Amino acid sequence: VGGTMAAQYTSTHRESVDGLVIWASYPANSADISNTNLPAASIYGTLDPRANPASVKERADLLPPTTVYTAIEGGDHHQFGSYLIDPEEDLAVISRADQQDQIIQATLNLLEKVDQSAP
């Protein structure tokens, strides 16, 4: 829900947003920002049952064409945070630390682009 709402906010408040990073989510159909040059990144785990390669690809047309997609191989949804889950939803085959290192690096890459595009 966080990434979906961030994309929605961005689509209705474009003038106040300098960049968009979506973690383990995708934009709602009503959040089309594809016609902008906004620096954007979509970061997701390949084993996430919700925001996975297929679901992210389905909504890629709603994001700017220059969006950087980072697929974390072996990552899942719960490792984007640090909370307890049902053991049946523990699908990751990489460590939480490894997944979060990749998330942080992809986010920092986007922030660097935002900084470079700032007036």
Side-chain angles (χ1 to χ4, degrees), residues 7 10-12 14 20 31-38 40 62-65:
T10 299
S11 72
T12 58
R14 176 59 192 100
L20 175 66
D32 188 347
I33 57 170
S34 61
N35 63 347
T36 71
N37 61 356
L38 182 74
L62 299 171
L63 295 173

Side-chain angles (χ1 to χ4, degrees), residues 7 18 66 81 85 89 98:
D18 294 328
T66 56
I85 64 158
E89 291 184 18
D98 186 18

Side-chain angles (χ1 to χ4, degrees), residues 45-95:
T46 59
L47 299 179
D48 187 332
R50 297 171 197 93
N52 53 50
S55 63
V56 169
K57 184 178 180 181
E58 283 177 20
R59 303 273 176 69
D61 63 322
L62 299 171
L63 295 173
T66 56
T67 299
V68 175
Y69 293 89
T70 301
I72 300 177
E73 292 297 329
D76 71 0
H77 195 82
H78 83 281
Q79 290 193 158
F80 277 84
S82 187
Y83 50 89
L84 297 176
I85 64 158
D86 180 335
E88 291 182 16
E89 291 184 18
D90 186 6
L91 304 174
V93 296
I94 63 173
S95 71

